[in-house]
Amino acid sequence: NAGVTQTPKFQVLKTGQSMTLQCAQDMNHEYMSWYRQDPGMGLRLIHYSVGAGITDQGEVPNGYNVSRSTTEDFPLRLLSAAPSQTSVYFCASSYSLRGYPFVEYFGPGTRLTVT
Amino acid sequence: KQEVTQIPAALSVPEGENLVLNCSFTDSAIYNLQWFRQDPGKGLTSLLLIQSSQREQTSGRLNASLDKSSGRSTLYIAASQPGDSATYLCAVKGMTGGGADGLTFGKGTHLIIQP
């Protein structure tokens, strides 16, 4: 298994540009989520999904869109990039075991700079 | 809103010492608590997961405890080694989303083990 993969690893955008951060997992996990990590702020949840076709907002959803058309993929879209979105973005997936949520697996991250 | 606090923010100890990292959370309605390790510029690696009904989990030189009623967890590292140097993150999974929503993270403890 490749686990959770993210592309690209690094990206530089100009203010106002749009882009999609890709996330894929090959473990057949029903839960997927996106976090951003900023110095002094820790990791914060952006959006999450409990299965194909179902998404919901986390703590910091503004400026980001998600969709989940398949179990494997959970892309994060920045519609109009702003310098405040400069961050490291992590995708994660997890499963439930006997009805209880279990271990979260994280991707390697995408380092995004918006100028 | 759940808040997770980790103390200390940074710790530097000589190789071979036993050490304890602390984590506290404000809302005891959790499914589980996870400890992660993050190396510089890398993603997160899950170290231990404690379900809300459990008191502790052990993996090798690591032992994590959970006192849900007091909102506290500790990560005990025995016989520390320079390879243990990393940032250690504590995260809780809340019950509001039925276990499907994301984790709430602390800001981490930056650990340095001196050779």
Side-chain angles (χ1 to χ4, degrees), chain B residues 2 4 6 9-10 13 22 25 31 37 41-42 47 54 60 63 71 73 77-79 85-87 93 95-96 105-106:
Chain B
Q2 178 76 269
V4 179
Q6 291 187 244
V13 300
N22 296 291
F25 48 96
Y31 270 110
R37 169 187 173 132
K42 304 290 187 184
L47 298 173
Q54 297 175 322
N63 176 277
S73 175
I77 303 177
S85 298
T87 295
K93 170 83 81 172
M95 301 187 79
T96 53
F105 281 86

Side-chain angles (χ1 to χ4, degrees), chain A residues 13-21 47 61-66 76-82 85 112:
Chain A
L13 289 178
K14 293 188 187 316
T15 298
Q17 287 185 317
S18 63
M19 80 159 295
T20 299
L21 307 186
H47 284 285
N62 293 342
Y64 307 96
N65 274 0
V66 292
L76 178 72
R77 296 182 188 85
L78 282 71
L79 303 175
S80 178
Q85 294 178 304
L112 176 68

Side-chain angles (χ1 to χ4, degrees), chain A residues 47-114:
Chain A
H47 284 285
Y48 64 94
S49 169
V50 304
I54 307 170
T55 64
D56 208 343
Q57 297 180 350
E59 181 184 354
V60 288
N62 293 342
Y64 307 96
N65 274 0
V66 292
S67 60
R68 184 125 177 246
S69 56
T70 67
T71 299
E72 295 78 20
D73 300 298
F74 191 42
L76 178 72
R77 296 182 188 85
L78 282 71
L79 303 175
S80 178
S84 61
Q85 294 178 304
T86 293
S87 187
V88 182
Y89 291 85
F90 290 101
C91 179
S93 74
S94 64
Y95 61 99
S96 62
L97 190 65
R98 294 189 293 274
Y100 285 89
F102 213 61
V103 174
E104 305 259 345
Y105 293 84
F106 280 77
T110 293
R111 192 172 295 271
L112 176 68
T113 301
V114 183

Side-chain angles (χ1 to χ4, degrees), chain B residues 47-99:
Chain B
L47 298 173
L48 289 164
L49 178 145
I50 311 176
Q51 298 288 2
S52 60
S53 57
Q54 297 175 322
R55 296 285 291 183
E56 66 177 338
Q57 282 287 333
T58 299
S59 176
R61 295 182 293 108
L62 305 179
N63 176 277
S65 68
L66 174 64
D67 184 343
K68 198 174 71 162
S69 61
S70 68
R72 295 183 184 184
S73 175
T74 61
L75 179 67
Y76 175 82
I77 303 177
S80 58
Q81 303 171 357
D84 294 331
S85 298
T87 295
Y88 290 80
L89 297 165
C90 169
V92 297
K93 170 83 81 172
M95 301 187 79
T96 53

Side-chain angles (χ1 to χ4, degrees), chain B residues 17-44:
Chain B
E17 283 200 6
N18 303 324
L19 55 99
V20 175
L21 308 182
N22 296 291
C23 171
S24 62
F25 48 96
T26 55
D27 186 349
S28 61
I30 63 170
Y31 270 110
N32 62 46
L33 182 146
Q34 278 187 248
W35 283 93
F36 293 89
R37 169 187 173 132
Q38 185 175 30
D39 293 290
K42 304 290 187 184
L44 281 70

